Amino acid sequence: MALSLAAALIAPAGAGAAEKATQCSGANDAVTAANVATAERTLLCEVNVYRVANGLAPLTADPALGRAARGHSEYMERTKQFAHEGIGDGNPSSRAAEAGFNCGGFDCVGENIAYSGFPSTTPTDMFEQWRNSPGHNANMLLDRYVTAGMGFAVGPNYGTTGTQNFAVVDNGATDTAADMLTSGACDTAESAEVSAQARVDKAKRRVQGAKGKKRKRKARKKLRKAKARLKDAAAKADAACDLTY
């Protein structure tokens, strides 16, 4: 899949108990209008996994930068124009300011943009294209950046359009999209918890439908066992899904 790319880079002025994870939930799910918000968080998760693997701190998700990034993707898709500026909606820093991000009076936002031409693009597709392009890769790995916003748009003109906004100014965001981290062990444990919950629900229905004291007693005993197994499965899922960058 060939993406069209462009990057606006700010030149540098100078520069637990939890298991480390390298996978992000939804990384290989196609971006759609229905899941765009989740796909944006997955993309930030992938960027943060990449940054930490290169000895850098993860970026926080700034809501204003996110609005600016999605808004620019939507603008490019709607107008069939592809650029960082000069197409009618400002430049990276002015769009961020309009969305509510305070740069402190100077240009503080760098940007990556891309479009795929296909409606089945995944967050990983976008991430890999940027990673394999020197200018875009430099943005994702710039140590001066502390916060970011990811934005996708899906439509008939560009298929899937993506924007990444990065800023050197901290406006107080704390979310790093770490809740999107996953692993094989976590997926397995969560699946077991879902199954255990289903067994509890089934046992409850049997208690409600049981006729006579003996059958009621037997059904309640099975329900207690099912609840105990659910508690154990939940504890195992909590432990397996205690993940960090």
Side-chain angles (χ1 to χ4, degrees):
M1 181 181 297
L3 299 187
S4 297
L5 304 167
L9 173 66
I10 288 186
E19 174 192 348
K20 283 193 176 295
T22 59
Q23 300 175 37
C24 298
S25 177
N28 296 310
D29 295 341
V31 181
T32 68
N35 72 2
V36 65
T38 299
E40 290 163 355
R41 291 180 59 73
T42 294
L43 178 58
L44 179 60
C45 175
E46 291 193 281
V47 171
N48 281 340
V49 166
Y50 185 46
R51 283 176 64 88
V52 170
N54 282 274
L56 302 171
L59 301 168
T60 58
D62 188 278
L65 287 180
R67 289 193 295 272
R70 189 189 294 183
H72 189 48
S73 289
E74 291 174 343
Y75 184 88
M76 290 188 292
E77 161 59 31
R78 184 172 64 253
T79 64
K80 293 194 288 187
Q81 299 180 91
F82 182 73
H84 294 288
E85 56 187 288
I87 59 174
D89 67 341
N91 59 48
S93 289
S94 70
R95 287 191 293 271
E98 186 174 349
F101 188 81
N102 181 12
C103 271
F106 67 99
D107 287 342
C108 74
V109 179
E111 183 172 83
N112 286 343
I113 57 177
Y115 70 84
S116 69
F118 300 94
S120 59
T121 302
T122 69
T124 296
D125 291 331
M126 285 283 186
F127 169 78
E128 288 296 330
Q129 291 292 332
W130 281 319
R131 186 177 69 85
N132 291 319
S133 170
H136 303 86
N137 189 61
N139 261 345
M140 292 196 294
L141 293 181
L142 185 60
D143 60 356
R144 292 176 58 223
Y145 288 140
V146 295
T147 193
M150 307 286 140
F152 281 120
V154 179
N157 293 319
Y158 286 145
T160 305
T161 305
T163 300
Q164 295 177 309
N165 284 154
F166 307 95
V168 299
V169 172
D170 181 2
N171 277 189
T174 58
D175 173 27
T176 61
D179 59 302
M180 303 305 292
L181 287 168
T182 190
S183 67
C186 173
D187 291 343
T188 298
E190 287 188 329
S191 179
E193 184 180 7
V194 169
S195 296
Q197 180 64 63
R199 286 192 291 271
V200 167
D201 295 339
K202 183 177 180 180
K204 286 180 178 178
R205 290 194 296 270
R206 285 181 173 175
V207 169
Q208 292 170 352
K211 304 296 183 182
K213 291 183 179 180
K214 187 175 180 179
R215 289 186 177 180
K216 277 277 189 192
R217 188 163 54 248
K218 186 176 180 180
R220 285 171 180 157
K221 183 178 180 180
K222 288 184 176 181
L223 176 58
R224 288 194 295 271
K225 287 183 177 180
K227 285 182 175 180
R229 293 192 186 102
L230 174 59
K231 184 177 180 180
D232 181 62
K236 289 179 178 177
D238 287 344
C241 298
D242 183 17
L243 305 171
T244 182
Y245 294 113

